[in-house]
Amino acid sequence: YRAKTEDLGYHFFDTSLTNQAMFQVRLGNDLRGALNRDQLFLHYQPLIDLRTGEWIGLEALARWQHPVEGAISPTVFIPLAERTGMITSLGEWALREACQQGRTWLDANLGFGHIAVNIAAPQLAHRGFASRLRHILQESGLPPHHLELEITETSLMHFDHETIAQLREIRSMGISLAIDDFGTGYSSLRYLKELPVDALKIDRSFINGILDDHRDQAIIRAIIDMGSSLGFSVIAEGIESEAHGQAVQAYHCHRGQGFFFSRPADADTITRVLANQTASSPAFHPAYPDTR
Ligand code: C2E
Ligand code: MG
Ligand code: MG
Ligand code: MG
């Protein structure tokens, strides 16, 4: 049999394809067990007021420490979770974990603004999502205005009438909503008119070219002008240098996130920084003045 496949010339191709597929299947199975085996945890990356350097919020980012493969990127395991149907339980875990952590910080009198949690499209497609969310908030005791949900622009394409109704319900609970990776999806601008949204996050691929690419500059400026005119808070992702921060501010965007300020860090590290900040500046400014 081996000789035959080699004769046909696709033996190696066939094998590598099989290995790749088997790796995906194995990883999918491992992910299923990862939740119960404490291999998943959250890191937090600060969202910054560029004018003052103050933290206005924290984005929760999932991490997977695989016992054999080591750290696996969420750009690998989140899509895997979406394909295997794991995203609902993984997403709920992330929400619960972030809300409990937020409550812990509040109990310690540590101001953090809001926690932003990424939500995948299949989670929102579930009709029960809004009531599950309400339940998780009640269970954790985190007041809703300390929570923000990030939804990628790409996922908006799949939204139907029911999903949008759920978003309205979620927002009426006092939770804010941000569109993530803005500028990379294929959504219609009509969504910006119809969706109950508080914030736009400019995808970091644009910020990457802000210093020397005038197309990136034009797109960034257009997103900031449009977002501000519509009354949204606009946040620049991927601020990797002081020059990046100054450039987006020159376009009147005063919120940012990026390695220049801080990489995502574990909860203990964040707790230490919050404690220092609270000691030096007890008056904390919320990310969104309450306008609702
Ligand atoms: P995202 O929501 O756009 O998160 C921002 C990503 O950009 C994070 O990557 C962060 O580490 C990275 N980043 C932040 N600042 C910089 C910078 O200055 N330069 C560069 N090069 N990168 C920067 P990360 O943690 O690898 O997450 C990747 C994506 O995985 C996230 O993109 C999000 O779409 C998804 N993800 C992570 N955790 C979750 C989760 O709990 N649920 C869902 N549904 N998706 C998640
Ligand atoms: Mg995000
Ligand atoms: Mg993003
Ligand atoms: Mg992204």
Side-chain angles (χ1 to χ4, degrees):
Y1 176 73
R2 170 178 289 245
K4 195 174 156 209
T5 53
E6 270 165 0
D7 287 347
L8 289 172
Y10 54 71
H11 178 73
F12 290 108
F13 179 59
D14 200 23
T15 310
S16 69
L17 239 191
T18 305
N19 284 344
Q20 179 56 23
M22 276 171 64
F23 180 71
Q24 288 290 319
V25 170
R26 190 160 58 78
L27 212 57
N29 286 334
D30 293 351
L31 184 57
R32 216 168 289 278
L35 261 181
N36 306 324
R37 298 196 182 98
D38 292 336
Q39 292 166 14
L40 291 177
F41 49 100
L42 294 180
H43 273 184
Y44 299 88
Q45 188 183 31
L47 307 160
I48 310 284
D49 181 329
L50 300 173
R51 284 169 295 204
T52 62
E54 256 181 300
W55 291 14
I56 54 178
L58 294 165
E59 177 172 6
L61 295 158
R63 297 288 178 261
W64 180 13
Q65 189 63 33
H66 188 286
V68 179
E69 309 293 336
I72 295 179
S73 165
T75 58
V76 171
F77 70 80
I78 295 291
L80 180 65
E82 292 190 24
R83 285 197 300 277
T84 56
M86 269 280 297
I87 193 67
T88 311
S89 48
L90 195 158
E92 258 199 49
W93 162 80
L95 266 170
R96 207 176 308 115
E97 182 74 21
C99 290
Q100 283 169 2
Q101 182 61 65
R103 185 68 244 181
T104 303
W105 283 324
L106 287 183
D107 288 342
N109 273 317
L110 299 176
F112 58 89
H114 65 269
I115 296 187
V117 180
N118 293 285
I119 305 294
Q123 290 181 265
L124 280 163
H126 277 209
R127 293 297 171 255
F129 180 72
S131 55
R132 289 294 304 149
L133 186 57
R134 199 185 292 275
H135 183 73
I136 290 170
L137 274 177
Q138 275 164 2
E139 234 176 27
S140 67
L142 184 74
H145 64 274
H146 285 293
L147 181 63
E148 179 161 284
L149 304 186
E150 293 192 3
I151 302 153
T152 63
E153 190 199 359
T154 308
S155 66
L156 303 185
M157 285 196 307
H158 310 291
F159 284 8
D160 58 11
H161 199 71
E162 290 281 320
T163 313
I164 293 172
Q166 282 209 94
L167 287 179
R168 289 192 199 290
E169 185 186 342
I170 289 167
R171 196 152 175 273
S172 72
M173 288 160 58
I175 297 167
S176 54
L177 299 174
I179 302 182
D180 204 353
D181 303 346
F182 191 79
T184 60
Y186 301 92
S187 73
S188 153
L189 291 179
R190 188 170 52 84
Y191 276 115
L192 291 185
K193 207 177 106 177
E194 290 176 358
L195 282 178
V197 161
D198 301 273
L200 296 184
K201 297 185 79 174
I202 308 172
D203 191 73
R204 70 177 141 85
S205 59
F206 300 113
I207 307 301
N208 199 32
I210 196 172
L211 298 181
D212 50 19
D213 186 324
H214 49 260
R215 295 189 182 204
D216 283 328
Q217 291 165 349
I219 291 167
I220 291 166
R221 196 151 54 187
I223 294 175
I224 293 168
D225 288 350
M226 182 182 63
S228 314
S229 307
L230 288 165
F232 304 143
S233 162
V234 181
I235 303 168
E237 297 188 311
I239 306 280
E240 293 187 352
S241 66
E242 187 164 19
H244 282 163
Q246 281 163 354
V248 296
Q249 287 203 80
Y251 297 145
H252 305 108
C253 170
H254 301 289
R255 288 179 174 170
Q257 171 182 13
F259 293 170
F260 175 64
F261 299 105
S262 171
R263 288 184 179 256
D266 60 55
D268 287 346
T269 305
I270 298 291
T271 302
R272 277 195 295 277
V273 180
L274 287 176
N276 283 334
Q277 281 181 356
T278 308
S280 59
S281 139
F284 191 80
H285 305 294
Y288 307 111
D290 212 346
T291 50
R292 250 166 286 148

